[in-house]
Amino acid sequence: CGRLPVWGEMSIFEHTVFSGMRPSGRLHLGNYLGALQNWVTLQEEYRCIYCAVDVHALTDIQGEATKEIRPNVQEMVLDWLAAGIDPEKSLIFVQSQVPEVMVLHSLLSMVTPLGWLLRVPSFKDKVRQLDATEETVSYGLVGYPVLMTSDIVLYKADTVPVGEDQLPHLELAREIVRRFNHLYGPTFPEPQAKLAEYPLIIGLDGKQKMSKSLDNHIELASDEEATRARVLTAFTDPERLRRTDPGRPLICNVYALHKLFNPDKLDDVYQQCTSAQIGCVEDKHLLADGINNALEVFRERRRELAERTGYVADVLRDGALRARVIARETLAEVRDRMGLSEIVL
């Protein structure tokens, strides 16, 4: 009769998606266009499991900085819900609230060769970023791909949405699964990549990918005035020094964002920019209008959800309880296959 299926009735979907995000707080345009919109769409064709991976955050956040994890989860999940992630369609929870994942991580670590982990390109990159040494690299940083694999296979997920640059990470998860299944019998499905063409959103600096750490981002939840102020800082054509100079839209990041937020005005913007009929400031105001119009519904829904006391906590609690039902069944199967004793309650 058109009623949306709740999780327990979602057998109508053949495949299960797992995806997670580190809780870095409010999301920005790059997160929204690069992943979140895709998550919303996937709900219509898959059983979807979306997780705030707070334990992963501990691989490079320590000490006082960890106090930000809980409020960051709240802000991030608010963005998910406002964007259209539906708790009636998807499981939404916090990684650490399903402790079975840490147990599975330990068990899978017993079958994962150290050499596999040390060869992961992202591990080498992170070591360079942190300027780490053998004395400062944590076991958690080395072993995070095993925890990532545990996140996926604990729920028997068979589909993981990724961009091409993430394929090596998923292939390692597949190798761990193959090794476990070879040693102990078929237990986990090999997770398959669902490739998505995520648009590369360049930040306001016009040089690097939009990122909160680089402070070149625009938050989804910002109000209209704050968004406009951020857009006005955007880097444009470095050779356009005067208002009367013709611009070069094809090398201008503001024009690239017009393609996403003002597609119906692209031709006019191009013509007016190349003929110096509008300057960079006018162009940025036009972009700010487009972004604010596109996010109006999102921001209104986010305000409404934020005013519902305890709503996010309730969603996460319900998601964790339902996730743990699946997790306990999987973990019991793994323990049995590995010859471990039953848990005594």
Side-chain angles (χ1 to χ4, degrees):
C1 299
R3 183 176 62 84
L4 295 173
V6 297
W7 181 259
E9 301 170 336
M10 293 181 73
S11 58
I12 59 172
F13 296 124
E14 183 179 356
H15 298 289
T16 300
V17 158
F18 180 93
S19 196
M21 284 188 193
R22 290 193 184 199
S24 58
R26 292 184 174 187
L27 301 182
H28 55 69
L29 289 181
N31 304 132
Y32 182 65
L33 297 167
L36 195 50
Q37 283 187 327
N38 186 48
W39 282 17
V40 173
T41 301
L42 288 171
Q43 293 178 125
E44 306 306 320
E45 299 179 25
Y46 296 84
R47 292 185 296 265
C48 290
I49 301 174
Y50 297 132
C51 182
V53 289
D54 56 343
V55 179
H56 280 295
L58 297 176
T59 57
D60 54 12
I61 298 175
Q62 297 178 347
E64 287 293 310
T66 61
K67 292 181 179 179
E68 299 299 317
I69 292 178
R70 288 180 187 172
N72 282 348
V73 167
Q74 170 81 14
E75 294 293 331
M76 183 177 73
V77 174
L78 261 179
D79 284 339
W80 291 2
L81 297 170
I85 302 299
D86 186 346
E88 289 294 313
K89 299 179 182 180
S90 302
L91 285 187
I92 308 168
F93 60 95
V94 180
Q95 182 185 29
S96 64
Q97 290 183 340
V98 183
E100 287 81 3
V101 74
M102 269 77 85
V103 178
L104 184 57
H105 172 215
S106 295
L107 297 178
L108 291 184
S109 72
M110 302 303 174
V111 304
T112 305
L114 179 60
W116 290 5
L117 302 175
L118 295 178
R119 288 195 297 268
V120 176
S122 57
F123 167 69
K124 297 176 182 178
D125 291 341
K126 182 63 72 173
V127 169
R128 282 192 292 269
Q129 290 172 17
L130 298 174
D131 194 23
T133 68
E134 289 186 1
E135 300 301 319
T136 58
V137 170
S138 70
Y139 164 77
L141 183 60
V142 177
Y144 93 88
V146 186
L147 181 56
M148 181 193 75
T149 303
S150 303
D151 287 326
I152 299 167
V153 302
L154 184 60
Y155 309 101
K156 301 292 183 81
D158 56 16
T159 307
V160 182
V162 294
E164 280 199 41
D165 61 325
Q166 298 169 304
L167 284 175
H169 306 158
L170 186 59
E171 182 54 35
L172 178 54
R174 289 162 52 80
E175 289 178 356
I176 294 172
V177 165
R178 284 194 289 267
R179 185 173 176 86
F180 186 94
N181 289 346
H182 173 73
L183 290 170
Y184 297 107
T187 307
F188 304 116
E190 288 189 28
Q192 305 296 317
K194 181 171 178 58
L195 284 173
E197 293 187 10
Y198 300 125
L200 175 62
I201 309 302
I202 300 299
L204 298 175
D205 57 6
K207 299 176 182 178
Q208 303 182 76
K209 183 178 178 181
M210 187 171 285
S211 166
K212 184 176 295 187
S213 63
L214 297 173
D215 194 29
N216 65 358
H217 64 295
I218 298 173
E219 287 187 350
L220 299 175
S222 294
D223 60 30
E224 293 189 1
E225 292 75 16
T227 296
R228 189 173 304 278
R230 291 289 286 177
V231 171
L232 288 174
T233 69
F235 183 85
T236 55
D237 183 351
E239 294 186 12
R240 192 175 190 192
L241 304 178
R242 295 177 297 274
R243 167 66 172 76
T244 54
D245 292 339
R248 299 177 298 166
L250 296 183
I251 61 98
C252 177
N253 188 44
V254 171
Y255 183 74
L257 290 171
H258 277 307
K259 295 177 183 179
L260 299 169
F261 295 101
N262 286 318
D264 57 329
K265 298 178 181 178
L266 270 183
D267 291 342
D268 288 342
V269 169
Y270 186 91
Q271 190 276 326
Q272 292 172 0
C273 180
T274 54
S275 61
Q277 295 179 47
I278 60 171
C280 292
V281 173
E282 296 165 272
D283 194 24
K284 292 176 184 179
H285 278 294
L286 183 61
L287 174 60
D289 290 339
I291 293 173
N292 284 328
N293 289 337
L295 295 178
E296 182 178 2
V297 173
F298 166 88
R299 288 168 173 171
E300 178 58 33
R301 174 155 176 76
R302 194 184 196 281
R303 283 191 290 269
E304 292 174 357
L305 294 176
E307 291 172 358
R308 296 169 61 177
T309 304
Y311 177 69
V312 172
D314 289 343
V315 167
L316 293 174
R317 185 181 303 108
D318 179 68
L321 289 173
R322 292 190 288 166
R324 291 197 73 183
V325 173
I326 305 169
R328 286 167 179 159
E329 291 180 357
T330 301
L331 195 55
E333 180 183 1
V334 170
R335 290 174 62 89
D336 181 61
R337 288 187 179 275
M338 297 184 81
L340 299 178
S341 300
E342 294 182 1
I343 297 176
V344 178
L345 300 177

